[in-house]
Amino acid sequence: MGGLEEEKHARYIVSVEKKKDDFEALVIEHLRMNGAYWGLTTLDLLNKIGAIDVDAVVSWVMECQDKDCGGFAGNLGHDPHLLYTISAVQILALLDRLDVLDIEKVSDYVAGLQNEDGSFSGDMWGEIDTRFSYCAICCLSLLGRLSKINVEKAVNFIVSCKNLDGGFGSIPGGESHAGQIFCCVGALAITGSLHHVDRDLLGWWLCERQCKDGGLNGRPEKLADVCYSWWVLSSLIMIDRVHWIDKEKLTRFILNCQDKDNGGISDRPDNAVDVFHTYFGVAGLSLMEYPGLKTIDPAYALPVDVVNRIFFRK
Ligand SMILES: CN(C(=O)[C@H](Cc1cnc[nH]1)NC(=O)OCc1ccccc1)[C@@H](Cc1ccccc1)C(=O)N[C@@H](Cc1ccc(O)cc1)C(=O)NO
Ligand SMILES: [Zn+2]
């Protein structure tokens, strides 16, 4: 089994950033801001962020900001949403360009999406989901504006989504899913509220996600998928139970999902690669301290040196 093809993955990411009209670019067209965050964070984890034109990326990101409400859209001319606003702020943090933001305007947009019950809507249309609680809390924390929301009510809503199996769903009564668990555990970690989590019960549910092939799935009986290397692993690390899974087998599963010729990582062996799974595969390896990769922060989903620069800047 060979190692991680760093060079090939960096070239794959840069090639996708350049192509704007092929199928993959069209599929993710409406969530291009997410795609940019996945691609740029992967390059930074591979120590290859020097390969990109920072000014070009920053001006494109800023063109996606809705000048009236302050929120960011997934691409030029699309509607603003929390899912893309968090990605935009993460990209600017990664490139050390948070200075281009009107911090009050963006944080007012995010804080304005909190509901009476402490939950968050993704945008003006009102859909409530713990995904959006994470986006809001992570974004406001990076901007240093958590004081603009009712953190206690936000935490109470997340706790109201905790299930008997120790996991979390998208809304109260929603079934446990690894993606939702990452959002809830990440938001609780950022707000210093992890005492609400039953670490052994949730740790058990999460380590049960490891399949025979070493990969992790998102729910019982599902197939392993590289992106769950992030959702499950980051949650296990945040609750200090990562030693309950076999890291060697998971590492081999991820490496086995690489396209060794053209670069990129797929969701499972021999499937088509994409930017999303390339990012979550490299991020998963980073969480397992794979040699040569930068370390990623499990709660902020940004390299640790980027998080430190934000919180410890004099
Ligand atoms: C919208 N989305 C998903 O629904 C992926 C689809 C998938 C990939 N592998 C298995 N399914 N699922 C996903 O991200 O699930 C993780 C998750 C679920 C619920 C809450 C939070 C995370 C992916 C994009 C995608 C679509 C189709 C194929 C590959 C990637 C996505 O943008 N995920 C977001 C999180 C998310 C998840 C679900 C949403 O409805 C919206 C956003 C993300 O990771 N941002 O950094
Ligand atoms: Zn996946």
Side-chain angles (χ1 to χ4, degrees):
M1 175 256 317
L4 183 65
E5 301 280 350
E6 276 97 345
E7 211 39 59
K8 294 251 173 74
H9 297 319
R11 265 206 299 277
Y12 163 73
I13 294 286
V14 172
S15 74
V16 169
E17 282 304 301
K18 284 197 170 45
K19 273 186 290 179
K20 292 211 181 331
D21 52 4
D22 76 336
F23 172 68
E24 182 175 14
L26 293 177
V27 161
I28 70 167
E29 201 257 352
H30 70 287
L31 39 84
R32 192 161 185 79
M33 189 64 77
N34 284 350
Y37 156 72
W38 301 325
L40 294 168
T41 311
T42 304
L43 287 179
D44 199 18
L45 292 176
L46 292 168
N47 296 292
K48 296 265 191 324
I49 197 78
I52 63 124
D53 177 349
V54 174
D55 292 335
V57 173
V58 171
S59 56
W60 175 79
V61 168
M62 294 314 285
E63 277 177 71
C64 293
Q65 183 176 26
D66 183 296
K67 299 300 170 255
D68 302 327
C69 72
F72 286 80
N75 208 333
L76 303 174
H78 288 240
D79 294 332
H81 194 285
L82 267 185
L83 289 171
Y84 310 120
T85 303
I86 175 67
S87 288
V89 168
Q90 286 172 312
I91 290 169
L92 295 174
L94 194 73
L95 302 177
D96 197 11
R97 295 294 297 275
L98 285 170
D99 57 288
V100 302
L101 278 180
D102 174 342
I103 303 273
E104 301 316 317
K105 186 129 181 91
V106 181
S107 47
D108 285 342
Y109 166 75
V110 177
L113 288 166
Q114 185 169 34
N115 301 305
E116 258 317 292
D117 63 359
S119 67
F120 281 85
S121 295
D123 62 11
M124 58 187 276
W125 302 109
E127 182 195 5
I128 288 168
D129 187 311
T130 45
R131 277 173 294 148
F132 310 142
S133 299
Y134 171 76
C135 293
I137 285 167
C138 182
C139 189
L140 291 174
S141 174
L142 289 171
L143 297 176
R145 294 296 185 280
L146 268 176
S147 57
K148 289 194 172 190
I149 59 167
N150 186 322
V151 174
E152 189 189 352
K153 279 186 158 184
V155 168
N156 292 343
F157 178 77
I158 290 168
V159 175
S160 79
C161 298
K162 188 166 67 175
N163 294 320
L164 291 176
D165 60 14
F168 294 83
S170 56
I171 52 171
E175 69 159 329
S176 295
H177 173 291
Q180 307 291 0
I181 288 169
F182 163 78
C183 291
C184 295
V185 171
L188 293 177
I190 291 170
T191 55
S193 319
L194 280 174
H195 52 278
H196 291 294
V197 172
D198 180 332
R199 292 175 185 231
D200 288 329
L201 187 57
L202 178 54
W204 175 252
W205 190 91
L206 288 168
C207 76
E208 281 285 286
R209 296 302 113 250
Q210 187 153 40
C211 306
K212 288 198 182 7
D213 58 11
L216 305 175
N217 65 21
R219 277 179 292 167
E221 311 307 320
K222 293 281 182 183
L223 284 176
D225 174 337
V226 158
C227 68
Y228 290 104
S229 309
W230 168 263
W231 310 112
V232 174
L233 210 51
S234 53
S235 303
L236 278 170
I237 290 173
M238 287 188 274
I239 64 172
D240 191 25
R241 293 293 183 277
V242 72
H243 50 289
W244 285 5
I245 60 133
D246 183 331
K247 289 187 184 178
E248 287 67 39
K249 282 189 75 176
L250 175 57
T251 299
R252 266 200 300 282
F253 177 82
I254 299 172
L255 294 176
N256 203 15
C257 292
Q258 297 178 97
D259 178 334
K260 288 182 179 302
D261 304 325
N262 308 311
I265 299 175
S266 60
D267 58 347
R268 47 185 70 101
D270 305 329
N271 275 5
V273 304
D274 61 46
V275 185
F276 178 88
H277 289 97
T278 302
Y279 164 61
F280 285 107
V282 171
L285 291 172
S286 170
L287 286 174
M288 294 188 284
E289 295 124 9
Y290 190 88
L293 293 181
K294 268 195 179 181
T295 306
I296 192 165
D297 182 285
Y300 288 98
L302 283 170
V304 168
D305 67 297
V306 172
V307 176
N308 289 340
R309 182 171 66 204
I310 291 171
F311 292 108
F312 302 113
R313 168 152 276 159
K314 294 286 164 284

